[in-house]
Amino acid sequence: MGEKNRRSAILAVASHLFAEKGYSNTTTAEIAQEAGVAEGTLYHHFGSKDGIFLTIFDEMAEEYLAGAERLAGDGKTGAETLSGLIRFHFEYLERNKTRFLVILRDFPNHLAADRDGRPAEIRNRFSRMTDILSLVLTKGFHDGTLRPSFPVRDTAGLLRGILYGTTRHSMLGIIDVPLSRLSRMVEGYCLQALSPDSRAGGKRGKGGKK
Amino acid sequence: MGEKNRRSAILAVASHLFAEKGYSNTTTAEIAQEAGVAEGTLYHHFGSKDGIFLTIFDEMAEEYLAGAERLAGDGKTGAETLSGLIRFHFEYLERNKTRFLVILRDFPNHLAADRDGRPAEIRNRFSRMTDILSLVLTKGFHDGTLRPSFPVRDTAGLLRGILYGTTRHSMLGIIDVPLSRLSRMVEGYCLQALSPDSRAGGKRGKGGKK
Amino acid sequence: MGEKNRRSAILAVASHLFAEKGYSNTTTAEIAQEAGVAEGTLYHHFGSKDGIFLTIFDEMAEEYLAGAERLAGDGKTGAETLSGLIRFHFEYLERNKTRFLVILRDFPNHLAADRDGRPAEIRNRFSRMTDILSLVLTKGFHDGTLRPSFPVRDTAGLLRGILYGTTRHSMLGIIDVPLSRLSRMVEGYCLQALSPDSRAGGKRGKGGKK
Amino acid sequence: MGEKNRRSAILAVASHLFAEKGYSNTTTAEIAQEAGVAEGTLYHHFGSKDGIFLTIFDEMAEEYLAGAERLAGDGKTGAETLSGLIRFHFEYLERNKTRFLVILRDFPNHLAADRDGRPAEIRNRFSRMTDILSLVLTKGFHDGTLRPSFPVRDTAGLLRGILYGTTRHSMLGIIDVPLSRLSRMVEGYCLQALSPDSRAGGKRGKGGKK
DNA sequence: AATGAATGAGAATTCATTCAT
DNA sequence: GATGAATGAATTCTCATTCAT
């Protein structure tokens, strides 16, 4: 086993164990043993148990966001891009189930907690996704393929919540819908909700009960 | 101080602390001290720390589900009932922010883990909500006010994911949209997505013009 | 072994081990085992390893200072009181060798370190001794039995340095003078240095070389 | 960067860090980083962390003792030499505050501990100072400028304790007397205590008037 | 029912030192 | 000489739970 591989061996083992048993039920001793390194080596490379988690998270987030940004940048219409993004989201998670389960299962909450009054750095990752979605919605609004009935940024936030919530419930088995079917459903419903063809605008919802 | 009061004092204090610091960062010693009882008393009433959490969760889930079931059972149309449910959801959480934060922050994952191959009892709570939503969707389908483009049960699951994900992101500050605005947005978009007025389904959306 | 005794058993064992092996070379596991209690019990009673040390220190400091204050308050002349204090100092340490060795050997330095810019609380103990000595010097100055050639408070500080340094060197074996002889020497030299009978005042030292 | 410079860079950085944070709170990794060398390099030059400390200590002790021996050897009277030694002591420490703080703060006690029943080598350094002081006291006794009321070697030991204790308390801020004032005070009081002019010994002080 | 002292099985982390390159 | 990745033993502290009173 080469030197470079020690680092990735640790990450692979940790991903696996975190996904299987949860973050807090996995001990650093276990990770070290399974990866065939000394416990100190974990700390040499990642500084702390949290550091291991953060590295896994960062690498995945970077990959995911890079993929999403690539899609958002190509020349299609807004609606097509939104479709593409939603498909990409579910395909990516299907391919990275293990690593994403780590995050879903028990994201170490203190990592997202604000420290000293400033938002945790991890939040920046999150907001990049809102930026991408906002961009796509704006594009669709201009090219006439999408008509958000609420402010673009709020709608982007809503979409993020939808993607997160549905993905989570499916992956944790809370609802009995596999990711592949979920992908088609979210795509279908979102486009319909944002469709410019629809006469029934969101505004109605704002106005009154009936 | 009567016996009943001790019990509720403990629950109130625990809700508060769990919401503020998270389940695992709250010690039983702390709960006991703030509630003004001995640590052993916690165990007389709730058997374990998990027992305290489960009691809080159960009480809230029962209230929530009872409210949702009441709404689902009245004589309105499917679309109106769905609107009502969504509004109820966000209003209820607005009124019970603290207790719900307990669940959002760091739900003790082992409580939802399957034990001995059988699904955790806590899952039953969850599935009741799917039942309610399925009922409403079916009603709307029959009275012509809703037209789900996917199987009713799957759509109900999707709606649960949407409600959970958007609520979570808002309450944890991951997106910058308050619950009240979110309520109107979710209501608007969901009705539009499920609207029978729209001929253009998500898959076919690109084609149809009228 | 009664319940009260657990606490004192821990203190006795800890004093012994700290004196013998030094603070940092003594593990909490060792203390617990020798005291016949669980390790957690240490933390139940003292909160931390430092807490154990601090308790030992405080109890001794309190005893010592109480004794010194009692002596300083009786009706003798300043010089007699100073003699008494010096004798008391060495006798007390002779009787409490073990506990004092704990402090001499390796006082956990971080305990005396200023935190957040404010002096450590432990300093207050120290300054009480300066107060006592200042009082005695002042008394001696008024009744004519002592004539400090430098400001009273500075001289008191000097005396504390003398007591500490000579005691330390003797107890750690750095100099080959037992405490009992040291006591007589310090008493003799201090009284002579502060004696009003001496023509050669400290002022000479201040003035010139010759 | 030449080889010599690496060595002294390490010593300078280590002195600084030891003085600031204490020996045990300074890690070898830190020293290496601040000195701009690899951690292994520390071990090439000094063999161990203790080795670094010992080198700093030895260099300073050698300088100090050489200076003291030089003073002790010149042709002045005993009293003048003692004055000179005391002034030298405080001046030297004033000029070498940082390095001396290293030793005061938390001298690694195991280095002074007897090993295999034999006194630690570091003790030899200490005893050289007693030799010097003994010499000076003897000289003063013969030329009539000093009259120790106790055996010369014991008195020398006492003086060392006085110098150590007062210096320590001042440098650690335990007493509020700067080194320069302390120097004059120690000089004044020591000469007075050892003065042949004073007939009144510590024990007999009360009696004699003239 | 209520108490709260006692428990004890962990778990993360530190860091001086080594050694192959 | 110089490097710095790897080591791994050692240690403090946590905290849910128990049980005698």
Side-chain angles (χ1 to χ4, degrees):
Chain A
M1 196 177 292
E3 289 144 20
K4 274 279 167 49
N5 292 337
R6 262 185 243 254
R7 202 188 127 95
S8 36
I10 293 169
L11 288 179
V13 164
S15 290
H16 186 70
L17 290 173
F18 287 163
E20 190 161 329
K21 321 173 35 172
Y23 178 79
S24 59
N25 295 320
T26 303
T27 67
T28 53
E30 240 174 328
I31 299 171
Q33 196 188 36
E34 294 252 328
V37 301
E39 212 170 338
T41 308
L42 264 50
Y43 290 83
H44 185 64
H45 285 293
F46 304 102
S48 68
K49 191 187 175 188
D50 281 354
I52 299 175
F53 179 88
L54 244 20
T55 304
I56 295 171
F57 176 81
D58 264 15
E59 288 189 354
M60 184 165 55
E62 201 47 58
E63 248 180 62
Y64 176 94
L65 289 168
E69 272 161 355
R70 207 175 312 121
L71 278 179
D74 69 17
K76 299 197 181 128
T77 66
E80 282 167 346
T81 309
L82 184 58
S83 278
L85 275 178
I86 291 170
R87 291 177 189 195
F88 167 77
H89 171 89
F90 287 99
E91 276 163 18
Y92 182 85
L93 294 185
E94 183 74 51
R95 285 198 314 272
N96 294 275
K97 260 186 175 162
T98 302
R99 285 198 293 166
F100 195 64
L101 261 176
V102 174
I103 290 159
L104 281 184
R105 270 193 60 101
D106 52 357
F107 188 98
N109 247 281
H110 60 276
L111 294 181
D114 297 346
R115 216 177 285 277
D116 311 325
R118 275 174 320 175
E121 203 207 337
I122 218 166
R123 294 271 175 89
N124 295 334
R125 301 284 190 199
F126 293 150
S127 68
R128 254 172 80 189
M129 190 59 191
T130 307
D131 296 339
I132 296 171
L133 288 167
S134 294
L135 200 74
V136 173
L137 288 171
T138 303
K139 196 206 288 191
F141 183 73
H142 287 317
D143 64 24
T145 57
L146 297 175
R147 177 149 54 185
S149 13
F150 292 90
V152 160
R153 191 136 195 108
D154 290 353
T155 302
L158 182 89
L159 286 174
R160 277 187 55 205
I162 291 173
L163 287 173
Y164 177 86
T166 55
T167 305
R168 179 181 190 277
H169 278 24
S170 169
M171 288 183 77
L172 294 183
I174 292 172
I175 60 175
D176 195 30
V177 185
L179 287 181
S180 52
R181 199 186 320 157
L182 207 50
S183 181
R184 287 195 301 277
M185 291 175 68
V186 171
E187 185 190 350
Y189 282 125
C190 281
L191 286 181
Q192 187 161 351
L194 295 166
S195 163
D197 303 333
S198 163
R199 288 202 211 101
K203 263 84 185 191
R204 195 186 61 173
K206 267 166 114 178
K209 208 151 206 160
K210 163 71 179 301
Chain B
M1 192 180 290
E3 289 142 24
K4 273 283 164 48
N5 289 335
R6 270 188 227 256
R7 203 188 124 94
S8 41
I10 292 168
L11 288 179
V13 165
S15 289
H16 187 70
L17 290 173
F18 288 162
E20 191 159 331
K21 324 175 30 174
Y23 179 78
S24 59
N25 294 321
T26 303
T27 66
T28 50
E30 239 173 331
I31 298 171
Q33 195 191 39
E34 294 251 328
V37 302
E39 219 170 333
T41 308
L42 264 47
Y43 287 82
H44 271 293
H45 286 291
F46 304 101
S48 69
K49 190 187 176 190
D50 282 353
I52 299 175
F53 178 87
L54 246 19
T55 303
I56 294 171
F57 177 80
D58 268 9
E59 289 188 355
M60 182 166 56
E62 201 47 59
E63 246 180 65
Y64 177 93
L65 288 167
E69 273 161 354
R70 205 175 313 121
L71 277 179
D74 68 16
K76 299 197 181 125
T77 66
E80 282 167 347
T81 311
L82 183 58
S83 276
L85 276 179
I86 291 170
R87 291 177 186 198
F88 167 76
H89 170 89
F90 286 101
E91 276 163 17
Y92 182 82
L93 295 186
E94 184 74 51
R95 286 197 314 270
N96 294 275
K97 261 186 173 161
T98 299
R99 285 197 295 165
F100 194 62
L101 264 176
V102 174
I103 291 158
L104 281 185
R105 273 194 58 105
D106 55 354
F107 188 98
N109 254 280
H110 60 275
L111 294 181
D114 297 345
R115 216 179 284 275
D116 313 324
R118 278 175 317 172
E121 202 207 338
I122 217 168
R123 293 269 176 90
N124 296 334
R125 301 282 192 201
F126 292 150
S127 66
R128 256 172 78 190
M129 189 58 191
T130 307
D131 296 339
I132 297 171
L133 287 167
S134 293
L135 199 74
V136 174
L137 287 171
T138 303
K139 196 205 289 190
F141 183 72
H142 287 318
D143 65 22
T145 55
L146 295 174
R147 177 147 57 184
S149 16
F150 293 92
V152 158
R153 189 132 195 112
D154 291 354
T155 302
L158 184 89
L159 286 174
R160 277 188 53 206
I162 291 173
L163 288 174
Y164 177 86
T166 53
T167 306
R168 177 181 190 276
H169 278 24
S170 170
M171 288 183 77
L172 294 183
I174 292 172
I175 60 175
D176 194 29
V177 185
L179 286 180
S180 53
R181 202 188 317 159
L182 207 50
S183 181
R184 290 194 300 275
M185 290 176 68
V186 171
E187 185 189 352
Y189 283 124
C190 281
L191 286 180
Q192 187 163 353
L194 295 167
S195 164
D197 303 337
S198 163
R199 289 206 208 105
K203 308 302 264 284
R204 292 154 283 141
K206 272 171 65 187
K209 186 81 201 194
K210 153 103 188 299
Chain C
M1 194 177 292
E3 289 143 21
K4 273 280 166 48
N5 292 337
R6 262 185 244 255
R7 201 189 127 96
S8 36
I10 292 169
L11 288 179
V13 165
S15 288
H16 186 69
L17 290 173
F18 288 163
E20 189 161 330
K21 322 176 32 174
Y23 179 79
S24 59
N25 295 319
T26 304
T27 67
T28 52
E30 243 174 325
I31 298 170
Q33 197 189 37
E34 294 253 327
V37 301
E39 210 171 339
T41 307
L42 264 51
Y43 289 84
H44 185 65
H45 284 293
F46 304 102
S48 68
K49 192 185 173 189
D50 281 353
I52 299 175
F53 179 88
L54 245 20
T55 304
I56 295 171
F57 176 80
D58 265 14
E59 289 188 353
M60 182 166 54
E62 201 46 58
E63 249 180 63
Y64 176 94
L65 289 168
E69 273 161 355
R70 208 175 312 121
L71 278 180
D74 69 16
K76 300 202 180 117
T77 67
E80 283 166 346
T81 309
L82 184 57
S83 278
L85 275 179
I86 291 170
R87 291 175 189 197
F88 167 76
H89 170 89
F90 287 100
E91 276 162 17
Y92 182 84
L93 294 185
E94 184 74 49
R95 286 198 313 272
N96 294 275
K97 260 187 175 162
T98 301
R99 285 199 293 167
F100 195 62
L101 261 176
V102 174
I103 290 158
L104 280 185
R105 270 192 59 100
D106 51 0
F107 187 99
N109 248 280
H110 59 275
L111 294 181
D114 296 347
R115 215 177 286 276
D116 312 324
R118 275 173 319 174
E121 204 207 338
I122 218 168
R123 294 270 175 87
N124 295 334
R125 301 285 191 198
F126 293 150
S127 68
R128 255 172 78 189
M129 190 58 192
T130 307
D131 296 340
I132 296 170
L133 288 167
S134 294
L135 200 74
V136 173
L137 288 170
T138 304
K139 195 204 289 189
F141 183 73
H142 288 318
D143 65 22
T145 57
L146 297 174
R147 177 148 56 182
S149 14
F150 293 91
V152 158
R153 189 133 196 110
D154 291 351
T155 301
L158 183 89
L159 286 174
R160 276 188 53 205
I162 291 172
L163 288 173
Y164 177 86
T166 54
T167 305
R168 179 181 188 276
H169 278 23
S170 169
M171 289 183 76
L172 293 183
I174 292 172
I175 61 175
D176 195 30
V177 185
L179 287 180
S180 53
R181 199 184 322 155
L182 207 50
S183 181
R184 288 194 300 277
M185 291 176 66
V186 171
E187 185 190 350
Y189 283 126
C190 282
L191 286 181
Q192 187 160 352
L194 294 167
S195 162
D197 303 333
S198 162
R199 289 203 211 102
K203 262 85 183 190
R204 194 188 60 175
K206 266 167 118 180
K209 205 153 214 154
K210 164 70 181 297
Chain D
M1 194 180 292
E3 289 142 21
K4 275 279 166 48
N5 291 333
R6 268 187 229 259
R7 205 188 122 93
S8 40
I10 291 168
L11 287 179
V13 164
S15 289
H16 187 70
L17 289 173
F18 288 161
E20 191 158 330
K21 323 172 33 172
Y23 179 80
S24 60
N25 294 320
T26 303
T27 66
T28 51
E30 237 173 331
I31 298 170
Q33 195 191 38
E34 294 251 329
V37 301
E39 220 169 333
T41 308
L42 264 49
Y43 288 81
H44 272 293
H45 286 292
F46 304 101
S48 69
K49 190 186 175 189
D50 282 354
I52 299 175
F53 178 87
L54 246 19
T55 304
I56 295 171
F57 177 80
D58 268 11
E59 289 188 354
M60 183 166 55
E62 200 47 57
E63 247 182 64
Y64 176 93
L65 288 168
E69 273 162 355
R70 206 176 312 123
L71 278 179
D74 69 14
K76 301 196 179 126
T77 67
E80 283 167 345
T81 311
L82 183 58
S83 278
L85 276 179
I86 291 170
R87 290 177 187 197
F88 167 77
H89 170 89
F90 286 102
E91 277 163 16
Y92 182 84
L93 294 185
E94 183 75 51
R95 285 198 314 271
N96 294 274
K97 260 186 175 162
T98 300
R99 285 198 294 166
F100 195 63
L101 263 175
V102 174
I103 290 157
L104 280 185
R105 270 194 59 103
D106 54 353
F107 188 97
N109 253 281
H110 60 276
L111 294 181
D114 296 346
R115 216 179 286 275
D116 312 324
R118 279 175 318 172
E121 203 207 339
I122 217 166
R123 294 269 176 87
N124 295 333
R125 300 284 189 200
F126 292 150
S127 67
R128 257 172 78 190
M129 190 58 191
T130 307
D131 296 340
I132 297 171
L133 288 167
S134 293
L135 200 75
V136 173
L137 287 170
T138 304
K139 195 205 288 190
F141 182 73
H142 287 319
D143 65 22
T145 56
L146 296 174
R147 176 146 58 183
S149 16
F150 294 90
V152 160
R153 190 134 196 109
D154 290 352
T155 302
L158 183 89
L159 286 174
R160 277 189 52 207
I162 291 174
L163 288 174
Y164 177 86
T166 53
T167 306
R168 177 182 190 277
H169 278 22
S170 169
M171 289 184 74
L172 293 183
I174 293 171
I175 60 174
D176 196 30
V177 185
L179 287 181
S180 53
R181 199 186 319 158
L182 207 50
S183 181
R184 289 195 299 276
M185 291 176 67
V186 171
E187 185 190 350
Y189 282 125
C190 281
L191 286 180
Q192 186 162 350
L194 295 167
S195 163
D197 302 338
S198 163
R199 288 207 209 104
K203 307 301 265 283
R204 295 154 281 143
K206 270 172 67 189
K209 185 84 199 192
K210 155 105 182 296

